[in-house]
Amino acid sequence: MRYVHTHPCTNRPAQALSIAGSDSGGGAGIQADLKTFTIRRVFGTSVLTATTAQNTQGVWDIHHLPTDHIRAQLVAIRDDFEIGACKIGMLGTSDIIDTVGQFLQNRPFGQVVLDPVMIAKGGQSLLDDNATDSLRRLIPLTDIITPNLPEAEVLTGMTIACDDDIRQALYALQSMGAKTVIIKGGHSQNSQSAMCIDYVLDETGDIWQVQSVRTNSKNTHGTGCTFSACITAELAKGASVADAIHTAKRLISQAMSTAPNIGHGHGAVNHWAFWEGGV
């Protein structure tokens, strides 16, 4: 049995990169991304932008890494690996965002998935107040952007309260330069609905939905990281954008519904459910 997925063009193990912060609690950030890459049989690499003192109950301290060290990590990955797809998570500051953006200008890592991390599950800010404009400037370098509803509101400056607002936000984000936009519906005001709906505007201009049964649970830490990391892993293996999104939706639904209930706050999802479910 092969435990890694070989890319059809190179016959080498598919390789993916996460550029994100570290979660000492293991449920989100780099840790969640690498777990997800592994469970999808992709070789994972990482560039750390920050370390956090974090658990299921909150974020107690953040240390942003120096930009010269972040660039050194990027160079090290570029010069030795064949990265099929890259996921960007927590960046934190304008300087870090600009450093990553400048490095990505020449597209060294294949397709790029941007999860515009702004707020931790417990409510703590993970993005400086003055960094939103820098994050917007990063969008044209991305193939897929995956904001939740509050993040989409910040990026577009809109209030999103209904389906028509979501459509307008999708178009606004695509006009900023992203090829495919996914607005996740987990924070929907219609949170009592039996279904959780994500909205997709793809490169062709079509709008469509991916749905799963809504899981009402406090164990939702790392859902956005895991979802975007799964998309990245599938792209690294050569999957289409649509197939990658559908796979990620199935996996995050399964991971949430079987969460292991670890910690005393917002517990992590069940990353190994991906393997157990055989998806």
Side-chain angles (χ1 to χ4, degrees), residues 19-48:
I19 305 171
S22 168
D23 172 6
S24 55
I30 287 285
Q31 286 83 348
D33 294 346
L34 292 178
K35 291 174 186 178
T36 305
F37 291 165
T38 298
I39 213 67
R40 296 310 299 151
R41 302 187 183 189
V42 170
F43 185 89
T45 63
S46 61
V47 168
L48 265 67

Side-chain angles (χ1 to χ4, degrees), residues 109-184:
F109 300 133
Q111 297 185 78
V112 177
V113 178
L114 174 62
D115 181 21
V117 176
M118 297 179 183
I119 304 293
K121 192 65 66 179
Q124 298 85 357
S125 177
L126 299 176
L127 182 71
D128 285 357
D129 292 340
N130 63 353
T132 303
D133 285 341
S134 294
L135 193 59
R136 292 190 185 104
R137 290 195 295 270
L138 194 61
I139 293 175
L141 299 175
T142 67
D143 296 280
I144 302 175
I145 184 171
T146 65
N148 57 34
L149 284 167
E151 291 162 350
E153 288 185 329
V154 171
L155 290 170
T156 62
M158 298 173 53
T159 297
I160 302 175
C162 63
D163 285 354
D164 187 60
D165 292 340
I166 291 174
R167 292 176 61 90
Q168 295 306 312
L170 288 167
Y171 287 123
L173 288 165
Q174 193 175 65
S175 72
M176 294 179 191
K179 294 177 181 177
T180 297
V181 181
I182 308 167
I183 295 181
K184 297 171 292 190

Side-chain angles (χ1 to χ4, degrees), residues 3-262:
Y3 288 95
V4 292
H5 190 288
T6 56
H7 193 282
C9 297
T10 65
N11 203 35
R12 296 191 182 94
Q15 300 158 49
L17 167 65
S18 170
I19 305 171
S22 168
D23 172 6
S24 55
I30 287 285
Q31 286 83 348
D33 294 346
L34 292 178
K35 291 174 186 178
T36 305
F37 291 165
T38 298
I39 213 67
R40 296 310 299 151
R41 302 187 183 189
V42 170
F43 185 89
T45 63
S46 61
V47 168
L48 265 67
T49 59
T51 60
T52 66
Q54 184 174 175
N55 57 28
T56 66
Q57 300 180 77
V59 180
W60 311 110
D61 191 37
I62 300 175
H63 172 64
H64 297 293
L65 297 183
T67 55
D68 58 349
H69 181 60
I70 293 171
R71 178 174 173 79
Q73 293 179 75
L74 290 164
V75 170
I77 299 300
R78 180 198 64 192
D79 289 352
D80 196 38
F81 296 91
E82 298 172 355
I83 301 300
C86 163
K87 174 252 172 91
I88 302 173
M90 175 188 171
L91 297 177
T93 71
S94 291
D95 287 345
I96 292 175
I97 294 170
D98 292 342
T99 296
V100 171
Q102 290 165 12
F103 195 85
L104 294 180
Q105 290 286 343
N106 295 324
R107 306 288 295 188
F109 300 133
Q111 297 185 78
V112 177
V113 178
L114 174 62
D115 181 21
V117 176
M118 297 179 183
I119 304 293
K121 192 65 66 179
Q124 298 85 357
S125 177
L126 299 176
L127 182 71
D128 285 357
D129 292 340
N130 63 353
T132 303
D133 285 341
S134 294
L135 193 59
R136 292 190 185 104
R137 290 195 295 270
L138 194 61
I139 293 175
L141 299 175
T142 67
D143 296 280
I144 302 175
I145 184 171
T146 65
N148 57 34
L149 284 167
E151 291 162 350
E153 288 185 329
V154 171
L155 290 170
T156 62
M158 298 173 53
T159 297
I160 302 175
C162 63
D163 285 354
D164 187 60
D165 292 340
I166 291 174
R167 292 176 61 90
Q168 295 306 312
L170 288 167
Y171 287 123
L173 288 165
Q174 193 175 65
S175 72
M176 294 179 191
K179 294 177 181 177
T180 297
V181 181
I182 308 167
I183 295 181
K184 297 171 292 190
H187 291 76
S188 171
Q189 293 181 5
N190 191 22
S191 60
Q192 299 306 310
S193 169
M195 303 301 292
C196 181
I197 303 173
D198 299 336
Y199 299 80
V200 182
L201 171 60
D202 64 26
E203 195 171 1
T204 70
D206 289 338
I207 294 179
W208 40 279
Q209 300 176 359
V210 285
Q211 302 186 26
S212 64
V213 175
R214 183 177 293 276
T215 299
N216 293 312
S217 170
K218 69 182 181 68
N219 298 309
T220 56
H221 185 54
T223 51
C225 300
T226 303
F227 177 75
S228 56
C230 184
I231 292 173
T232 305
E234 299 307 304
L235 294 176
K237 293 187 291 189
S240 70
V241 169
D243 285 347
I245 294 169
H246 283 292
T247 298
K249 185 64 171 177
R250 291 196 303 271
L251 295 187
I252 195 61
S253 177
Q254 185 176 337
M256 290 176 65
S257 65
T258 61
N261 199 31
I262 291 173

